[in-house]
Amino acid sequence: MAKNEAPPTIEVKLFVDKEKKKVLFAESDKEFVDVLFGFLTMPLGTVVRLLDKQSQMGCLDEVYKSVEDLSADYFEIKACKAMLLKPLNAASGHCCRLKINVDDTKPRAAVYVCKDTSCCARDDFAFSSVPDTVCRCGKVMESVGDRPPDNGAKTEAAGSDYGVFVKGCQKFITTDDLQVAPASTSLMLSLCKKFGVQDPNDLDKTTLQLTSDKQPLTGLHFDVPISPDDAPLVWVDWSLWNEQVNEVDDKVVKIKVLQTKTNSAVLYAEVGHDFVDLVFGLLSVPLGSVAKAFCQPLPNGCIDNLYRSIDGCAEGCMRAECKNLLLTPELPPFFGCGASQILQVNQIAPRKIKIDFCFTCFKIGGFSGYSRCHQKGRIIRWDGYDPEYGYINCQKYTKTAEVSELDPKSPEGKSDHHSAYVKQEPQNFMVTDCLRVSPLSLDSCLRVVSDAKVEMKELVEKEVTLTKFQVREIQRAALMSRDALSSVLVPLRRRRI
């Protein structure tokens, strides 16, 4: 966008109950609905960052702050911390075509390779899109420029009736709790009955020009602050607890929990790198994957309504090739981790780049290495015969190569999958009830006990071996509660989840 160019806007017509100061529903073209559905592809860490760590999504704000505050020395490589704080969107190729894209995370176009033409990994044909990635030979990879844009990428013709995720030129209705459906007479009658509208003249109609602000419809129109959602957590049938534990006999991780003898609360857990990775990895998981994994409404927000609309009232308007992308969002290459494995979120395959010159010339000249590799001229022969015409700089017979993306999280530069963000070394961390993570120290332990105003004689330490089911429940509690550990690990609190 040019420096003085006005930001893009989307026109939305609001139907307002003036007496209650509440937006009942909105009418819009497909551009607004596309933006809403695009939220489902957004990683949780991006949501927290865009809302300035005030997302009010359970413990996620504290998890994000923990990654910010933790030294890069605790991560596998320096890039791991950046990957969690600014996770990539696997659907960025679609979201970049939205008229308003609230996600300002830039796809990584830079390409890094080991510049040593004689390194032991020269036959790996490996590159990375993440700075500070380490080659198998131990050297840090260096930039060879930005990857050229894919000119063959499919784009929609001007005037097409296809949006990014939805199709058609009809109007769409979006309720204040984010249920989406194409406009129709039956929907009009249903909404008027639902909201008790007897006379259409009782509704105030106003047109809003939306920019990249991120607020609910009522907040947008009436400019009121969004108060914390203090609604009680949804209930879970805990009779399923024992069944699921019996079905899952594999143990995931061991932790030590400091809690009150009366089983009223968990103060903190002493954990290793494996548990921390399960917590931090949530930041890379797309919002839609959460809606799919837990199949229950989250107390903060209306994402579950938006998710159900895709396969429900808006199904006939969805682009077939994009429907699964929203219902089953994936992770970008190498963003998979223990947390996403528990939630059964897949990641897309690593990228490959085909070049019309050899890998050695690519190391030397980057994407401009073609001219170096293919330059021809008269070559002086070593045997004293007359010069011959041939390749001057590179005598390699093969003038093509396919370079493959390397896992940036691997500290040894190995090409096999390396899922951990946190360094796999013996180290202890403290995780508080709200999932605030910090290195374990005596000072921090005493501070938590002091803040809880609990006498030492009232405390007990327990060792807990968590199953996959229990880890999954802690992940769910992290999105829904501000006392995630107590909600799952203390029997008297379990019914609150």
Side-chain angles (χ1 to χ4, degrees), residues 44 94 170 250 279 445:
L44 295 174
H94 289 77
Q170 72 264 45
D250 54 329
V279 173
C445 294

Side-chain angles (χ1 to χ4, degrees), residues 451-462:
D451 291 345
K453 294 180 171 55
V454 179
E455 295 185 10
M456 300 299 293
K457 65 181 181 180
E458 298 176 2
L459 299 174
V460 61
E461 182 186 47
K462 295 182 179 180

Side-chain angles (χ1 to χ4, degrees), residues 167-196:
K167 60 184 179 180
C169 294
Q170 72 264 45
K171 296 290 185 180
F172 290 87
I173 299 298
T174 303
T175 60
D176 196 35
D177 60 356
L178 297 187
Q179 298 181 62
V180 179
S184 66
T185 301
S186 59
L187 180 60
M188 177 197 68
L189 295 174
S190 174
L191 289 174
C192 288
K193 180 179 179 181
K194 176 182 177 180
F195 295 115

